[in-house]
Amino acid sequence: MLDITHEIECDVLVVGGGSAGVAAAVSAARNGAKTLLVEASPMVGGELVSGISMLGMISTRGEWIVGGVARDLLREVETLGGYIGPVFDYRSLHLVCFDPELMKFAVVGLLNKAGVELMLYTLATGVLSVDGQVRGVFVQNKSGRHLVRAKVVIDASGDADLVDAAGGKTELGKDGRFFQPPSLIFRMTGVDTPRLLGNVRSHPEDYGLAEFPGLGMSREQCAEALWKQGQPKVVLLGERGILQRAVEAGEMFPTSIVAVVPISTARREVSINCTQIGNVDATDMRRLSAAVPTFFAQIEQSMRFLKERVPGFEDAHFSGVAGKIGVRETRRIVGDYVLDEDDVLTARKRDDVVAKGGHEIDLFAVSSHRRQTIREGGSYDLPLAVAIAKDVRNLFVVGRCLSATREAQSSARVMGTCMAMGQAAGTAAAMCSTDRSWTGDVRETSIPELQHRLREQGAILQSEA
């Protein structure tokens, strides 16, 4: 065993600085816990700073279902001039759009104001676990190998790394062999939005529109509404239209979607979500790394397709690529409660709610894409138990590796839901770690007291549907 360079002590350790980890760390610190956030990359924010928008903040029916830390973060980016706001795709999704470059400032600023200590360039390499109690987490960086001792640990790694290391039960993709495809987001600037939206009006059959029956609108009416909204939020589908013809002609690689999202009105800049490689186990670093050249080749092919075939992109130019590959699915924990498809689709409500989800069932594959809207376009409740791994006592899990079936995870994996659960777990972790009578099991968290604190801090726990 390598020698330990330092031992570090804190109340709450958060491993993983994506959206869920940021919300968890901010919440733990705001609630009085000495909080350390460890992140393997050189920047915090994860998908918040990749170029994609926030999903799951607003239900299909248009109701805000996530508040608290997530809304605080959006206010920070608005102050910086990088907030576009809610944009409807006139399919079924309300997105919250912003400038990812200014979001970097907002994330760092929010963590700093809360008093969170950051440790970047640092990889969690293992845990010291005794009888289900995580006594410490080993982390490695250029300063050496450290043992972080925390009263409560929050696994926001995205891959349930700490639960896996601690011997907790996890599931990997579908039967350990099939996975939703990862994607690498890229950006283009100089997009002619009026020309793009004009093409949607002229050829609505080429685009994804009017997919939620509750809208009561035709495809043509949705195209007109998209035009009036004035934001370049359009979707091309691999099953029909321009994109289908391009794939069949070999002008585009097989993909189920090309999603265009506004990120800067001033720069006329959009992000593009379309690159896909099927069945990559993103816990296998050799396999994930080997995918990088293919992703860059797909980006080049995508830009040619957009410039040559999609009106509005003729004079657009490449402006950036996300700092990391976006992963939709790896491990999921088996927790005290397993969120399932029925919970999601029936908009199930619970007395022990600590967060809400409102994104549809959203299972990606390269050649297909299963999407199913929640009943009446509403939202469902999540209990704290989906963040508690079986057989582990002092650890919460937040982010896309929560305790859920594969179908339910495809809804709950989006950033709005991840931040809501991050806030709940971070607040609960602070409650446990600062309570002198706490015996070391996060299951002792008083749900009524947690709900009270969450509401006081702006979280949304109730909805109309």
Side-chain angles (χ1 to χ4, degrees):
M1 181 180 289
L2 294 174
D3 291 336
I4 302 299
T5 305
H6 296 103
E7 284 199 14
I8 302 168
E9 292 189 359
C10 59
D11 294 325
V12 176
L13 168 65
V14 181
V15 174
S19 60
V22 166
V26 168
S27 298
R30 283 179 172 179
N31 283 275
K34 181 182 178 182
T35 305
L36 173 64
L37 174 59
V38 169
E39 167 58 36
S41 70
M43 176 59 64
V44 283
E47 294 303 324
L48 284 166
V49 300
S50 72
I52 65 173
S53 59
M54 290 178 74
L55 290 168
M57 295 290 291
I58 304 172
S59 68
T60 295
R61 63 188 285 127
E63 182 182 9
W64 282 87
I65 57 170
V66 177
V69 173
R71 292 297 292 270
D72 293 342
L73 185 62
L74 292 173
R75 282 188 280 271
E76 288 279 330
V77 81
E78 184 173 18
T79 299
L80 294 164
Y83 184 61
I84 293 175
V87 177
F88 190 33
D89 68 359
Y90 285 93
R91 293 192 301 161
S92 60
L93 302 180
H94 292 268
L95 309 90
V96 181
C97 301
F98 47 84
D99 186 333
E101 295 302 318
L102 291 173
M103 180 57 81
K104 294 175 182 176
F105 289 82
V107 169
V108 172
L110 197 69
L111 289 166
N112 188 52
K113 288 177 184 177
V116 175
E117 181 184 354
L118 282 178
M119 186 178 286
L120 302 176
Y121 305 93
T122 302
L123 183 68
T125 58
V127 301
L128 179 61
S129 181
V130 179
D131 297 327
Q133 190 87 9
V134 177
R135 300 286 178 85
V137 176
F138 297 102
V139 301
Q140 182 80 38
N141 57 29
K142 290 187 179 182
S143 302
R145 188 171 189 252
H146 316 287
L147 178 62
V148 182
R149 295 188 182 273
K151 297 174 184 175
V152 182
V153 176
I154 299 179
D155 185 341
S157 65
D159 302 312
D161 289 337
L162 300 186
V163 173
D164 190 59
K169 186 177 179 182
T170 63
E171 296 177 340
L172 182 63
K174 181 181 180 181
D175 303 323
R177 296 184 299 134
F178 303 105
F179 303 88
Q180 295 188 66
S183 296
L184 184 60
I185 306 298
F186 68 97
R187 308 194 300 272
M188 296 184 76
T189 190
V191 175
D192 186 337
T193 297
R195 182 163 168 75
L196 173 62
L197 297 181
N199 186 254
V200 178
R201 290 172 88 192
S202 302
H203 300 282
E205 69 279 1
D206 280 339
Y207 297 87
L209 294 166
E211 295 174 0
F212 174 50
L215 284 175
M217 298 170 68
S218 67
R219 186 181 298 276
E220 290 73 21
Q221 289 172 323
C222 285
E224 185 66 26
L226 200 66
W227 164 265
K228 290 179 180 177
Q229 181 175 242
Q231 290 289 349
K233 176 65 196 87
V234 302
V235 175
L236 296 163
L237 301 175
E239 63 195 32
R240 67 165 180 268
I242 303 172
L243 182 56
Q244 182 185 43
R245 294 192 293 271
V247 172
E248 289 174 349
E251 296 177 6
M252 270 291 281
F253 53 89
T255 184
S256 59
I257 194 170
V258 173
V260 179
V261 173
I263 60 172
S264 173
T265 302
R267 299 192 300 271
R268 296 190 298 152
E269 189 173 19
V270 300
S271 70
I272 312 292
N273 183 357
C274 69
T275 61
Q276 296 181 2
I277 303 176
N279 290 324
V280 175
D281 178 358
T283 65
D284 181 341
M285 290 302 100
R286 294 184 70 181
R287 179 75 177 92
L288 187 63
S289 299
V292 171
T294 301
F295 277 129
F296 277 92
Q298 288 183 348
I299 290 172
E300 291 184 278
Q301 191 172 11
S302 299
M303 288 192 292
R304 286 195 299 271
F305 161 69
L306 289 166
K307 289 173 70 67
E308 293 174 5
R309 299 299 182 195
V310 181
F313 280 88
E314 294 92 340
D315 297 318
H317 301 283
F318 173 78
S319 56
V321 65
K324 61 193 297 187
I325 295 168
V327 177
R328 294 181 174 91
E329 177 184 28
T330 52
R331 299 188 190 101
R332 303 180 305 279
I333 69 164
V334 178
D336 286 3
Y337 183 81
V338 180
L339 187 76
D340 65 24
E341 180 174 346
D342 194 53
D343 290 325
V344 173
L345 293 179
T346 64
R348 181 164 293 155
K349 303 300 186 288
R350 307 175 56 99
D351 291 338
D352 57 353
V353 55
V354 298
K356 297 188 69 61
H359 188 59
E360 61 196 15
I361 297 288
D362 191 16
L363 275 169
F364 271 81
V366 171
S367 58
S368 64
H369 188 178
R370 182 195 167 192
R371 298 175 56 238
Q372 191 169 348
T373 306
I374 297 168
R375 185 180 66 191
E376 298 179 359
S379 61
Y380 57 92
D381 293 350
L382 294 103
L384 190 65
V386 301
I388 301 175
K390 285 186 179 297
D391 303 321
V392 186
R393 300 183 65 229
N394 63 326
L395 184 145
F396 287 112
V397 181
V398 295
R400 59 177 165 80
C401 52
L402 83 168
S403 177
T405 65
R406 189 167 186 253
E407 293 76 17
Q409 186 269 355
S410 75
S411 165
R413 64 180 169 80
V414 296
M415 284 193 283
T417 314
C418 287
M419 293 198 74
M421 280 304 299
Q423 180 170 358
T427 303
M431 289 169 55
C432 291
S433 66
T434 58
D435 182 355
R436 292 184 179 179
S437 64
W438 182 57
T439 64
D441 195 324
V442 295
R443 294 165 180 81
E444 299 171 21
T445 303
S446 167
I447 299 303
E449 173 61 20
L450 175 59
Q451 291 171 328
H452 175 70
R453 289 203 191 191
L454 290 172
R455 289 190 180 100
E456 279 195 329
Q457 294 164 24
I460 298 172
L461 302 184
Q462 292 178 313
S463 60
E464 294 178 1

